[in-house]
Amino acid sequence: MDAEVIASEAQSGYGEFGIDTDWKNKILYASSCFKNIHLVTNLSCFDKDDLKYILQYASDIRISIYCIDNEAYKIIHNPKMRFDFNSIKENILFLMHEKKNDRKIILNYIEIPENKSQTKSWIKFWKKRVDLVEVWKPHNWIYGREY
């Protein structure tokens, strides 16, 4: 396939791309190949310097955060790293403050029993602070699992 046809690249997967110790070089390389770099993260691996680096290259950053307070964050995200809800919230607001207008900050929320009572509060809080909020209700049509 002709590389000029591919305009976008995504750094995501089944886990946090930031745990890869070479993530900066991979984003730098991707930026030499693609016009748009889409990042999917939970922001658990990044400090302010990392976020500034990301903003140089990412066209949009999709952040998974499924709660509105630290207690729910501990239950839902089960953080094993140095971050808590307040750190993640601060980082999201930092990204919004520092980003250029052509960059997008998108928040992703998956509604599950542990956070269902927070969904409306989450939307109300974030919809005026980021470029886009998404709420997804999981389903499983294949295995008949109930969520």
Side-chain angles (χ1 to χ4, degrees), residues 8-26:
S8 297
E9 191 273 341
Q11 291 285 320
S12 65
Y14 297 102
E16 173 57 51
F17 80 89
I19 64 171
D20 180 346
T21 57
D22 200 33
W23 68 266
K24 287 184 180 180
N25 287 328
K26 290 177 180 172

mmCIF file of all heavy atoms in Angstrom, residues 8-26:
data_model
loop_
_atom_site.group_PDB
_atom_site.id
_atom_site.type_symbol
_atom_site.label_atom_id
_atom_site.label_comp_id
_atom_site.label_asym_id
_atom_site.label_seq_id
_atom_site.Cartn_x
_atom_site.Cartn_y
_atom_site.Cartn_z
ATOM 1 N N SER A 8 -3.485 8.572 8.892
ATOM 2 C CA SER A 8 -3.595 8.529 10.346
ATOM 3 C C SER A 8 -2.934 7.282 10.917
ATOM 4 O O SER A 8 -2.854 6.253 10.270
ATOM 5 C CB SER A 8 -5.061 8.531 10.775
ATOM 6 O OG SER A 8 -5.690 9.711 10.376
ATOM 7 N N GLU A 9 -2.519 7.422 12.187
ATOM 8 C CA GLU A 9 -1.937 6.309 12.924
ATOM 9 C C GLU A 9 -2.430 6.425 14.350
ATOM 10 O O GLU A 9 -2.635 7.521 14.854
ATOM 11 C CB GLU A 9 -0.405 6.418 12.874
ATOM 12 C CG GLU A 9 0.342 5.215 13.367
ATOM 13 C CD GLU A 9 0.602 5.190 14.858
ATOM 14 O OE1 GLU A 9 0.524 6.234 15.507
ATOM 15 O OE2 GLU A 9 0.871 4.100 15.379
ATOM 16 N N ALA A 10 -2.663 5.298 15.000
ATOM 17 C CA ALA A 10 -3.138 5.317 16.388
ATOM 18 C C ALA A 10 -2.181 4.558 17.286
ATOM 19 O O ALA A 10 -1.686 3.492 16.915
ATOM 20 C CB ALA A 10 -4.527 4.698 16.482
ATOM 21 N N GLN A 11 -1.898 5.125 18.454
ATOM 22 C CA GLN A 11 -1.139 4.445 19.500
ATOM 23 C C GLN A 11 -2.162 4.028 20.546
ATOM 24 O O GLN A 11 -2.621 4.849 21.333
ATOM 25 C CB GLN A 11 -0.098 5.388 20.116
ATOM 26 C CG GLN A 11 1.027 5.750 19.210
ATOM 27 C CD GLN A 11 2.010 4.609 19.043
ATOM 28 O OE1 GLN A 11 2.337 3.908 19.977
ATOM 29 N NE2 GLN A 11 2.471 4.427 17.829
ATOM 30 N N SER A 12 -2.549 2.790 20.505
ATOM 31 C CA SER A 12 -3.525 2.283 21.460
ATOM 32 C C SER A 12 -3.391 0.779 21.506
ATOM 33 O O SER A 12 -2.416 0.217 21.030
ATOM 34 C CB SER A 12 -4.945 2.696 21.054
ATOM 35 O OG SER A 12 -5.295 2.093 19.827
ATOM 36 N N GLY A 13 -4.366 0.137 22.031
ATOM 37 C CA GLY A 13 -4.342 -1.314 22.094
ATOM 38 C C GLY A 13 -5.031 -1.783 23.345
ATOM 39 O O GLY A 13 -5.864 -1.085 23.900
ATOM 40 N N TYR A 14 -4.654 -2.942 23.787
ATOM 41 C CA TYR A 14 -5.269 -3.512 24.975
ATOM 42 C C TYR A 14 -4.371 -3.237 26.169
ATOM 43 O O TYR A 14 -3.707 -4.108 26.694
ATOM 44 C CB TYR A 14 -5.519 -5.004 24.768
ATOM 45 C CG TYR A 14 -6.480 -5.235 23.642
ATOM 46 C CD1 TYR A 14 -6.033 -5.642 22.394
ATOM 47 C CD2 TYR A 14 -7.833 -4.984 23.823
ATOM 48 C CE1 TYR A 14 -6.916 -5.822 21.354
ATOM 49 C CE2 TYR A 14 -8.733 -5.159 22.784
ATOM 50 C CZ TYR A 14 -8.264 -5.585 21.559
ATOM 51 O OH TYR A 14 -9.140 -5.756 20.527
ATOM 52 N N GLY A 15 -4.345 -1.995 26.567
ATOM 53 C CA GLY A 15 -3.501 -1.570 27.669
ATOM 54 C C GLY A 15 -3.014 -0.155 27.423
ATOM 55 O O GLY A 15 -3.351 0.480 26.435
ATOM 56 N N GLU A 16 -2.206 0.320 28.313
ATOM 57 C CA GLU A 16 -1.694 1.697 28.263
ATOM 58 C C GLU A 16 -0.407 1.753 27.446
ATOM 59 O O GLU A 16 0.578 1.102 27.790
ATOM 60 C CB GLU A 16 -1.452 2.177 29.692
ATOM 61 C CG GLU A 16 -0.774 3.504 29.811
ATOM 62 C CD GLU A 16 -1.525 4.611 29.089
ATOM 63 O OE1 GLU A 16 -2.737 4.763 29.321
ATOM 64 O OE2 GLU A 16 -0.885 5.313 28.292
ATOM 65 N N PHE A 17 -0.390 2.549 26.356
ATOM 66 C CA PHE A 17 0.810 2.627 25.523
ATOM 67 C C PHE A 17 1.981 3.246 26.278
ATOM 68 O O PHE A 17 3.144 3.010 25.955
ATOM 69 C CB PHE A 17 0.545 3.383 24.216
ATOM 70 C CG PHE A 17 0.558 4.881 24.332
ATOM 71 C CD1 PHE A 17 1.737 5.587 24.172
ATOM 72 C CD2 PHE A 17 -0.613 5.582 24.610
ATOM 73 C CE1 PHE A 17 1.756 6.975 24.276
ATOM 74 C CE2 PHE A 17 -0.600 6.959 24.711
ATOM 75 C CZ PHE A 17 0.588 7.657 24.549
ATOM 76 N N GLY A 18 1.713 4.027 27.305
ATOM 77 C CA GLY A 18 2.763 4.701 28.056
ATOM 78 C C GLY A 18 3.661 3.777 28.865
ATOM 79 O O GLY A 18 4.722 4.198 29.319
ATOM 80 N N ILE A 19 3.278 2.525 29.042
ATOM 81 C CA ILE A 19 4.165 1.610 29.765
ATOM 82 C C ILE A 19 5.337 1.158 28.892
ATOM 83 O O ILE A 19 6.326 0.642 29.408
ATOM 84 C CB ILE A 19 3.424 0.388 30.357
ATOM 85 C CG1 ILE A 19 2.821 -0.481 29.263
ATOM 86 C CG2 ILE A 19 2.387 0.827 31.367
ATOM 87 C CD1 ILE A 19 2.269 -1.801 29.777
ATOM 88 N N ASP A 20 5.234 1.365 27.605
ATOM 89 C CA ASP A 20 6.343 1.078 26.688
ATOM 90 C C ASP A 20 7.408 2.156 26.900
ATOM 91 O O ASP A 20 7.156 3.340 26.685
ATOM 92 C CB ASP A 20 5.832 1.102 25.253
ATOM 93 C CG ASP A 20 6.898 0.824 24.219
ATOM 94 O OD1 ASP A 20 8.097 0.862 24.538
ATOM 95 O OD2 ASP A 20 6.524 0.577 23.058
ATOM 96 N N THR A 21 8.588 1.782 27.325
ATOM 97 C CA THR A 21 9.632 2.762 27.627
ATOM 98 C C THR A 21 10.108 3.518 26.390
ATOM 99 O O THR A 21 10.759 4.553 26.517
ATOM 100 C CB THR A 21 10.840 2.083 28.304
ATOM 101 O OG1 THR A 21 11.327 1.041 27.454
ATOM 102 C CG2 THR A 21 10.446 1.510 29.660
ATOM 103 N N ASP A 22 9.767 3.036 25.207
ATOM 104 C CA ASP A 22 10.193 3.678 23.959
ATOM 105 C C ASP A 22 9.051 4.448 23.287
ATOM 106 O O ASP A 22 9.114 4.762 22.113
ATOM 107 C CB ASP A 22 10.752 2.607 23.009
ATOM 108 C CG ASP A 22 11.650 3.191 21.931
ATOM 109 O OD1 ASP A 22 12.344 4.196 22.204
ATOM 110 O OD2 ASP A 22 11.653 2.642 20.813
ATOM 111 N N TRP A 23 8.005 4.779 24.039
ATOM 112 C CA TRP A 23 6.823 5.397 23.434
ATOM 113 C C TRP A 23 7.142 6.725 22.760
ATOM 114 O O TRP A 23 6.548 7.050 21.725
ATOM 115 C CB TRP A 23 5.683 5.528 24.439
ATOM 116 C CG TRP A 23 5.880 6.501 25.561
ATOM 117 C CD1 TRP A 23 6.354 6.235 26.804
ATOM 118 C CD2 TRP A 23 5.612 7.904 25.551
ATOM 119 N NE1 TRP A 23 6.395 7.368 27.564
ATOM 120 C CE2 TRP A 23 5.943 8.419 26.821
ATOM 121 C CE3 TRP A 23 5.115 8.783 24.587
ATOM 122 C CZ2 TRP A 23 5.796 9.756 27.164
ATOM 123 C CZ3 TRP A 23 4.969 10.124 24.913
ATOM 124 C CH2 TRP A 23 5.310 10.595 26.184
ATOM 125 N N LYS A 24 8.040 7.515 23.304
ATOM 126 C CA LYS A 24 8.351 8.816 22.693
ATOM 127 C C LYS A 24 8.944 8.637 21.302
ATOM 128 O O LYS A 24 8.559 9.348 20.359
ATOM 129 C CB LYS A 24 9.293 9.629 23.576
ATOM 130 C CG LYS A 24 8.629 10.192 24.801
ATOM 131 C CD LYS A 24 9.582 11.064 25.592
ATOM 132 C CE LYS A 24 8.886 11.614 26.830
ATOM 133 N NZ LYS A 24 9.771 12.451 27.627
ATOM 134 N N ASN A 25 9.860 7.709 21.157
ATOM 135 C CA ASN A 25 10.456 7.469 19.843
ATOM 136 C C ASN A 25 9.435 6.938 18.847
ATOM 137 O O ASN A 25 9.489 7.275 17.660
ATOM 138 C CB ASN A 25 11.636 6.493 19.955
ATOM 139 C CG ASN A 25 12.842 7.139 20.588
ATOM 140 O OD1 ASN A 25 13.074 8.336 20.437
ATOM 141 N ND2 ASN A 25 13.599 6.357 21.325
ATOM 142 N N LYS A 26 8.511 6.127 19.317
ATOM 143 C CA LYS A 26 7.478 5.585 18.429
ATOM 144 C C LYS A 26 6.535 6.684 17.948
ATOM 145 O O LYS A 26 6.137 6.708 16.786
ATOM 146 C CB LYS A 26 6.727 4.457 19.115
ATOM 147 C CG LYS A 26 7.610 3.237 19.269
ATOM 148 C CD LYS A 26 6.947 2.117 20.015
ATOM 149 C CE LYS A 26 7.933 0.948 20.106
ATOM 150 N NZ LYS A 26 7.473 -0.118 20.952
#
